[in-house]
Amino acid sequence: MLPFVWPVGAAALTGLATPVIVVGAFAALLDKRARLFRVSVLGVGVMWIDVRMLMECWRLSLKDPRQKSATWEDDHEAVFLAGLNRAMILARRWVGFEVRLDGRMHFGTDGAPLIAFARHAGPGDSLALAWLLGHTAGRMPKIVLAEALRWDPTVDALLTRMRSSFVPSRTGAGDDRTAGVRALARGLKHDDVLLLFPEGQNFSPDRRRRLIDRLREAGQELKARRAISLWNTLPPKTRGVIACLDERPDADVMIVAHAGFGQLSTPKEIWDAIPFTDRPFLVRTHTYAAADVPDEPAEIERWLDEHWTEIDQWVATHEGSGTS
C-alpha cells in the first residue's frame, strides 16, 4: 500500500465501521460481553494509532530530510514506544487485555545489551512483550519480523528506520536467513533488547500436531519425540539463536515465558474469550549474565532445549488460570 493512501483509507474504513459500532452498542443489550462493540471500537482505535505513527514519521522526515540528525533513530524509537503504549491502553480499556508479571523482572547488566528469547503463542504476544521490555525494562526493543508485515506502511517506514530485521518467507538457494538477525544483533546499543521468537511461529495444538507428522514423515524420529514431549510450545529453532549469541557474546540473555492466551489459537476461541478480564497475560522472565550462557552451538542447543522444557512445564501450570 502506498503510504499517502493509508490515512485516506483509514478514514473510509472508519466510515464503514461506524454502523458496525452502532449495531454493536445495541447488540450489547443481548450480549452482555459486548464483544462486537468492544472489538469494533478497538479496531478503529488501533488503526488510527497506526496512522498517527505514520504521520509522525512524515513529520520527522520533513524535519530532517537527509536523515542525518544525531537523534534520528531515537526520535523514531520514541514514536514507536508511544504508539505501543496507546495501543496497550486501548486494549486494556476495551477488551480487558492486561499484562502481569510472575515474579521480579531482572533487566540485565547496566551498560550491556540484552537478548530476549520468548515463547510465541496467542494473540498480540509480540506487541505485549515489546511493550513490556520498552516500558518496564527500559530497553528499546529490536524486533525480528516477517517480510509480509511490510504491507503496513507504518511498519515498513517506522521499523525500518529503527533497524528492525525483516525475514522473507522464502529465500533462494544459498541465502542466509540469519543475515538480518546477525546485523541486528551486531548493531545493538547498550540499552537495546533484541526480541526473538525461536519457535518461528505462533504455537497452536494444530501446528504442534502437523509438526510432529512432518518430522515422522521425514524420518526424524528423535525430533518428533522432542516435539511430542512439549505440550504448550514448539521445539525452538536454534540457527537464529546461535547467530545472535555468536555476534554478541557480551549480551545478557532473558528467557521469556507467558501464559493466559496460548490456547486461543482460532478466531472463535479469541472471540469467545472477550473480554479478557479474568485472563491476564502473565509473564515470567529469567535473565542470565553473558558469562553464564554457553557459546558452542551444541551447548547452546541443549541449553535452550532445557529452558524450553521449563517454559512448557510452567505454562502447563499457569495457562488455564493465568495467575501465579
Side-chain angles (χ1 to χ4, degrees):
M1 181 187 295
L2 294 174
F4 60 84
V5 175
W6 179 218
V8 177
L13 289 172
T14 301
L16 293 173
T18 300
V20 179
I21 294 173
V22 173
V23 170
F26 282 104
L29 297 173
L30 299 175
D31 177 12
K32 298 304 181 183
R33 290 175 173 263
R35 285 169 285 199
L36 180 59
F37 181 61
R38 293 174 184 274
V39 170
S40 54
V41 172
L42 177 62
V44 170
V46 170
M47 180 174 62
W48 282 104
I49 289 172
D50 189 85
V51 171
R52 179 172 176 174
M53 289 193 292
L54 179 61
M55 296 179 76
E56 284 291 313
C57 287
W58 293 347
R59 181 184 65 81
L60 291 172
S61 294
L62 291 173
K63 181 181 175 181
D64 182 20
R66 299 181 64 187
Q67 304 181 9
K68 298 295 186 181
S69 169
T71 63
W72 173 259
E73 188 173 330
D74 292 339
D75 291 340
H76 286 85
E77 290 174 350
V79 170
F80 176 66
L81 286 182
L84 268 184
N85 202 41
R86 293 187 190 101
M88 292 298 296
I89 290 171
L90 275 183
R92 182 172 182 177
R93 177 178 299 166
W94 288 102
V95 296
F97 187 91
E98 180 182 2
V99 178
R100 293 184 190 172
L101 283 174
D102 178 25
R104 182 176 177 272
M105 189 177 189
H106 178 55
F107 307 149
T109 306
D110 289 341
L114 180 67
I115 298 174
F117 300 130
R119 179 199 185 202
H120 202 7
D125 68 328
S126 53
L127 290 179
L129 293 177
W131 173 83
L132 183 67
L133 291 167
H135 285 270
T136 302
R139 297 271 190 171
M140 175 52 58
K142 300 296 180 180
I143 312 172
V144 179
L145 302 160
E147 182 78 23
L149 291 176
R150 286 194 165 185
W151 70 267
D152 183 333
T154 304
V155 171
D156 190 21
L158 182 57
L159 295 187
T160 296
R161 296 177 187 186
M162 290 173 55
R163 298 182 295 107
S164 294
S165 174
F166 292 89
V167 180
S169 57
R170 294 183 180 180
T171 52
D175 288 346
D176 182 6
R177 289 176 60 87
T178 68
V181 176
R182 286 184 176 275
L184 197 56
R186 196 180 308 126
L188 286 177
K189 296 180 291 187
H190 69 91
D191 57 350
D192 287 342
V193 53
L194 194 160
L195 178 58
L196 188 70
F197 299 93
E199 290 159 285
Q201 57 184 336
N202 245 338
F203 169 86
S204 73
D206 286 343
R207 284 197 179 104
R208 174 180 176 271
R209 286 191 291 269
R210 289 197 298 269
L211 174 62
I212 292 169
D213 290 342
R214 286 199 304 271
L215 291 173
R216 283 178 164 169
E217 290 171 1
Q220 300 180 10
E221 189 59 32
L222 287 178
K223 290 186 176 182
R225 290 178 185 176
R226 172 58 178 156
I228 291 171
S229 71
L230 300 173
W231 287 94
N232 303 284
T233 59
L234 301 175
K237 301 174 182 178
T238 55
R239 287 184 63 195
V241 171
I242 291 170
C244 289
L245 298 179
D246 182 54
E247 289 292 337
R248 296 309 298 259
D250 59 323
D252 294 341
V253 174
M254 176 185 285
I255 302 293
V256 184
H258 61 81
F261 288 76
Q263 296 302 320
L264 304 181
S265 55
T266 68
K268 184 180 185 303
E269 289 170 343
I270 296 169
W271 179 265
D272 289 343
I274 293 171
F276 308 121
T277 48
D278 57 348
R279 186 190 291 267
F281 184 86
L282 186 68
V283 181
R284 186 197 70 166
T285 67
H286 286 298
T287 303
Y288 300 87
D292 297 329
V293 179
D295 54 7
E296 293 296 327
E299 294 177 1
I300 292 172
E301 186 169 348
R302 283 194 296 270
W303 184 80
L304 193 64
D305 272 346
E306 289 173 2
H307 285 299
W308 239 251
T309 298
E310 293 171 0
I311 288 176
D312 195 77
Q313 294 169 349
W314 179 84
V315 171
T317 303
H318 294 81
E319 188 66 74
S321 63
T323 58
S324 57

